[in-house]
Amino acid sequence: MTDTIETGTTEQAEQDSRIIHVPLNKLKKSPNNARKVPHSEATIEALAASIAHKGLIQNLVVEPEMKGDKPTGAYLVTAGEGRRLAYLLRAKRKEIRKNHFVRCWLDTENDPSEVSLDENVTRENMHPADQFERFHELSRDKGWGAEEIGARFGVSPEIVKRRLRLGAVSPKLMDIYRQDGITLDQLAAFAITDDHVRQEQVFDNLSWNKEPWIIRRDLTASNVPADDRRALFIGTDAYVEAGGTIIRDLFTEDDGGFFEDAGLLDMLVTEKLREIASGILAEGWKWAEASIDFPHGHGMRRHYPQSVALSDEDDARFSEAAEAHDALIEGYDSYDDMSDEVAAKAQALSDEIDAISAKRSAYDPAIIARGGVFVSLGSDGNAKIERGYVRAEDEPQPEPEDENDGIEPENGEAVENEDADEEDVEEADAAKPISDTLIRDLTAHRTMALRLAIGEQPGMAMVTLTHALVLDLFYRGFGKSCLEITAKSEELGSHAEGIADSKAGEALAARHDQWGAQLPSEAADLWRFLTGLDADSRTELLAHCVSLTVNAVKVPWERSTGRIEAAERLAQAVSLDMTATWEPTAGSYFGRVTKAHIAQAVSEAVSPEAAERIAPMKKADMADAAEQLVAGTGWLPTVLRTVEPEPEGDEAERPDVMEVEDAYSIAAE
């Protein structure tokens, strides 16, 4: 017993004798250090932070520096060069003195090169999963935030946040990661949500393809991306204040994250739109309806504001403000080039000019009294306010005609007054209306003459046609044309959901409103307006009206191909390019066709090899992958392609309509 105690005491004394404290300025890098690639700055930062908060955990191993047979008083660091550099960094930052004593282990027995190699070889790094969980425990148990943890371990708060998020992933998935069942990128994809049940559910439903983007997509399938029009309209602050949660992805660009509660978001949007509608009622409108989507099937006629002359005071102020604004911005390309003071003055003048310009048009008070406003959400995330709609029951009804006006007495005979003298009878005969039969005869001749005349005057024929189309498409039956032409515009929203908010839909609506604002409010004034237009403007209006009547929709129950052939010829004539307004996505195409069609599209747009790579995926995953692969290639399904016109001449072949029909059958599947 005594021998054991004495041996232990001797060994302890020997070890204690090897521990020395050396001034930092006496420590040097050993030429025998096995590490030739220097430590990274991040590593030195981390070591310095660790030493500052926890002290030196592991001694430096040193040997005396010799000059010949004599020691120089300095020591060479055999193992621990990184820690020496960390001390030097702290001294540079004035955290310690340059001669700060550093605890070292003096080793004069072992080969310095072997010691250095041993320290760097015979060790194993901690598994990342263990690191993530320990960081998470520090945050949970000690209440440390990312800043505190980062300071203690010498890493940035952003890195700590990511490690904390990874440490919060389901323990089940963390164990799978430890066993190399999933990669770090896949684990990071699961970290987009803290819901362990949801994480495990998505993992269990994954196919063999566990791409990170598929995991993120499945985890956020029921959430609303931050660039959605509803999210843009409400904003992050208002949504969070209402109790909503934002899901953020710390590992990829998430464009603002995801709004977790779609129901709450819809409620907030509706409430905000209703508030806007209530404010608009103060303008005097009879009604104002609010909804997220515009009710395109309302069937109402829309009235537009009419031009109003400015008052002398406003006209004078407008000229003054315009001149002052032009003088202020002269020499500048944009407000960004101006000083804050100049930019503020220029903006104030611009706002005043806009306010005065707005007075140049106004709604008829009668229209406001019986009309209303639709408030909906535009595709850009701003409220879309559309005034001037009048319900059918609120439209002024035409006065009923006299039932006896122009109607001849029975048998075409006038009622005679027995007491009338011969002169009265003659006057009665002169006032007697002519018969319906004769009127029909004469107006038939007049119609024939009008047809002949209009056919000889193409310009007036265009005016007459435009008049008929505008009455149907803008005035909705309030006004009659003598042409037996009816303009019908198919409501495309019943065939394709959300089409009104597409690029083409919004551009067409803007063009329609632009013309609507120019037309007179009363149908009776339309003819005078049209004849007063210049030829180019009238042609543009006619083209717009004709465009609204185009219907190239192929419905399942229609067997005739004549209309589809005509639409194809029209597309050729206008050189229609659908890539300008439509692109294939999982929602618009790939998710609605078979896997074979998806593969064919990718093969055509990218390569057969790309199609083969995604072929084993589930259809939903394959559709998403196809969307990413085909994006930007300009690929279109056959039904949207404009076929090259057939060659002219006797040998020109008749176009193959079956190709078009086959294209439509793809969409039906």
Side-chain angles (χ1 to χ4, degrees):
M1 185 67 152
T2 303
D3 292 341
T4 303
I5 294 176
E6 290 179 354
T7 302
T9 303
T10 302
E11 291 178 354
Q12 183 64 47
E14 183 180 353
Q15 291 181 7
D16 291 343
S17 66
R18 292 190 176 188
I19 296 177
I20 60 176
H21 292 80
V22 181
L24 176 60
N25 56 4
K26 295 294 185 180
L27 292 174
K28 296 182 179 180
K29 180 180 179 179
S30 171
N32 295 314
N33 195 309
R35 183 186 291 272
K36 301 305 179 184
V37 178
H39 293 81
S40 67
E41 292 183 6
T43 299
I44 303 304
E45 287 277 0
L47 287 170
S50 175
I51 294 171
H53 285 84
K54 295 175 283 291
L56 184 63
I57 298 175
Q58 183 179 358
N59 298 329
L60 280 69
V61 179
V62 298
E63 63 169 332
E65 182 186 45
M66 306 297 292
K67 187 173 184 180
D69 296 334
K70 297 181 179 180
T72 63
Y75 291 83
L76 302 176
V77 179
T78 305
E81 175 62 14
R83 298 187 286 282
R84 184 184 76 89
L85 294 175
Y87 271 110
L88 289 175
L89 178 61
R90 295 190 65 209
K92 181 178 180 181
R93 292 174 174 172
K94 310 291 186 185
E95 296 177 8
I96 58 175
R97 298 189 306 274
K98 293 182 179 180
N99 60 352
H100 178 85
F101 283 97
V102 180
R103 189 176 70 248
C104 301
W105 175 271
L106 180 63
D107 186 350
T108 57
E109 298 178 359
N110 296 303
D111 180 5
S113 299
E114 183 179 351
V115 170
S116 177
L117 181 63
D118 202 352
E119 184 189 50
N120 289 282
V121 172
T122 56
R123 65 176 180 176
E124 184 174 358
N125 289 330
M126 174 187 289
H127 193 282
D130 299 330
Q131 180 187 138
F132 303 151
E133 288 183 338
R134 298 297 83 74
F135 270 53
H136 181 65
E137 289 173 2
L138 288 174
S139 175
R140 181 191 64 200
D141 300 339
K142 296 191 178 233
W144 291 347
E147 296 285 348
E148 176 71 16
I149 296 175
R152 287 178 170 274
F153 291 91
V155 292
S156 69
E158 289 73 22
I159 292 177
V160 175
K161 289 177 182 177
R162 293 174 183 172
R163 293 176 182 175
L164 291 175
R165 182 66 68 84
L166 288 167
V169 171
S170 161
K172 173 184 175 180
L173 298 182
M174 193 67 76
D175 288 340
I176 294 174
Y177 170 55
R178 283 191 177 93
Q179 300 166 18
D180 297 329
I182 55 176
T183 65
L184 179 58
D185 287 341
Q186 292 164 347
L187 185 72
F190 282 107
I192 196 172
T193 177
D194 295 332
D195 188 341
H196 290 179
V197 174
R198 181 65 179 148
Q199 290 172 350
E200 294 171 10
Q201 181 185 44
V202 168
F203 177 80
D204 292 338
N205 290 332
L206 287 173
S207 64
W208 63 271
N209 188 352
K210 298 180 178 63
E211 289 291 334
W213 68 267
I214 293 178
I215 296 171
R216 291 187 179 91
R217 181 206 63 187
D218 291 351
L219 284 169
T220 59
S222 60
N223 307 130
V224 180
D227 58 358
D228 182 271
R229 57 177 179 151
R230 294 167 293 172
L232 294 173
F233 182 58
I234 294 300
T236 301
D237 294 341
Y239 171 75
V240 172
E241 185 178 348
T245 301
I246 302 292
I247 299 176
R248 300 304 306 266
D249 190 347
L250 299 179
F251 302 92
T252 63
E253 292 293 333
D254 63 1
D255 297 322
F258 297 86
F259 287 56
E260 187 176 33
D261 193 338
L264 173 62
L265 184 60
D266 284 345
M267 182 189 72
L268 294 173
V269 171
T270 302
E271 289 179 350
K272 188 174 180 180
L273 290 174
R274 286 175 178 169
E275 290 177 3
I276 295 174
S278 297
I280 293 174
L281 281 176
E283 299 175 8
W285 294 97
K286 183 176 181 180
W287 54 268
E289 292 185 5
S291 59
I292 295 178
D293 297 311
F294 183 84
H296 292 281
H298 55 76
M300 303 180 202
R301 176 189 171 189
R302 186 178 185 184
H303 298 259
Y304 293 88
Q306 302 299 304
S307 297
V308 177
L310 291 176
S311 66
D312 293 340
E313 182 181 353
D314 283 338
D315 194 32
R317 180 52 193 158
F318 180 88
S319 299
E320 292 175 4
E323 291 177 4
H325 181 268
D326 292 344
L328 199 59
I329 66 173
E330 187 176 359
Y332 295 102
D333 294 329
S334 67
Y335 283 0
D336 294 336
D337 299 333
M338 305 176 184
S339 65
D340 292 342
E341 182 180 358
V342 174
K345 290 181 179 179
Q347 185 62 57
L349 286 170
S350 178
D351 292 341
E352 185 178 6
I353 292 171
D354 291 341
I356 298 175
S357 296
K359 296 181 180 181
R360 295 182 185 275
S361 62
Y363 283 94
D364 186 332
I367 298 299
I368 295 177
R370 67 174 187 266
V373 182
F374 286 115
V375 180
S376 59
L377 188 59
S379 60
D380 60 353
N382 292 315
K384 186 165 61 174
I385 302 170
E386 299 181 81
R387 299 171 173 85
Y389 290 93
V390 178
R391 293 170 176 150
E393 61 268 25
D394 293 328
E395 291 281 10
Q397 300 302 317
E399 296 183 4
E401 297 179 356
D402 187 351
E403 295 181 358
N404 296 321
D405 186 23
I407 298 180
E408 205 175 64
E410 191 175 355
N411 298 325
E413 297 180 357
V415 178
E416 296 183 1
N417 186 342
E418 295 179 356
D419 296 332
D421 56 21
E422 185 176 349
E423 184 178 350
D424 292 336
V425 172
E426 289 179 357
E427 290 179 359
D429 287 342
K432 177 183 176 181
I434 61 178
S435 67
D436 291 343
T437 303
L438 180 55
I439 291 176
R440 185 171 60 183
D441 185 288
L442 295 176
T443 52
H445 282 278
R446 189 167 189 265
T447 300
M448 183 64 73
L450 278 172
R451 289 180 179 180
L452 179 63
I454 289 295
E456 295 171 349
Q457 300 182 44
M460 191 53 63
M462 188 183 76
V463 175
T464 310
L465 175 60
T466 306
H467 180 262
L469 296 179
V470 171
L471 284 174
D472 280 342
L473 296 170
F474 284 89
Y475 294 85
R476 293 185 177 271
F478 287 87
K480 299 294 182 182
S481 169
C482 63
L483 300 187
E484 289 187 335
I485 293 176
T486 300
K488 180 183 177 183
S489 185
E490 180 75 7
E491 177 52 57
L492 299 179
S494 61
H495 299 294
E497 184 179 356
I499 192 172
D501 293 325
S502 64
K503 293 180 181 178
E506 292 187 338
L508 184 60
R511 191 173 71 194
H512 189 77
D513 290 345
Q514 183 180 12
W515 275 114
Q518 299 178 52
L519 297 174
S521 59
E522 299 299 329
D525 300 326
L526 177 60
W527 182 267
R528 186 182 301 107
F529 170 81
L530 293 177
T531 54
L533 279 179
D534 62 86
D536 289 341
S537 297
R538 193 163 50 235
T539 302
E540 291 176 5
L541 177 56
L542 174 61
H544 173 67
C545 291
V546 171
S547 73
L548 296 179
T549 69
V550 173
N551 183 5
V553 178
K554 179 69 170 65
V555 290
W557 54 85
E558 184 178 17
R559 299 304 176 192
S560 173
T561 62
R563 187 165 55 82
I564 302 304
E565 291 181 40
E568 180 59 34
R569 289 193 294 271
L570 179 60
Q572 294 172 354
V574 299
S575 301
L576 182 65
D577 181 9
M578 286 298 299
T579 60
T581 57
W582 186 91
E583 58 184 356
T585 65
S588 67
Y589 183 76
F590 295 119
R592 303 169 66 182
V593 297
T594 64
K595 292 182 65 175
H597 290 135
I598 298 175
Q600 181 182 0
V602 174
S603 180
E604 293 176 0
V606 186
S607 68
E609 293 75 19
E612 291 178 3
R613 286 197 300 270
I614 67 173
M617 297 181 180
K618 291 181 179 179
K619 181 179 174 180
D621 298 339
M622 189 178 181
D624 286 330
E627 176 181 338
Q628 296 189 17
L629 289 169
V630 174
T633 64
W635 179 88
L636 292 170
T638 305
V639 68
L640 294 183
R641 299 174 190 173
T642 300
V643 182
E644 291 293 328
E646 61 179 273
E648 298 180 358
D650 296 337
E651 297 182 358
E653 298 181 359
R654 184 178 182 277
D656 187 2
V657 180
M658 291 305 297
E659 181 180 358
V660 179
E661 287 294 293
D662 290 343
Y664 282 108
S665 66
I666 291 177
E669 296 179 13

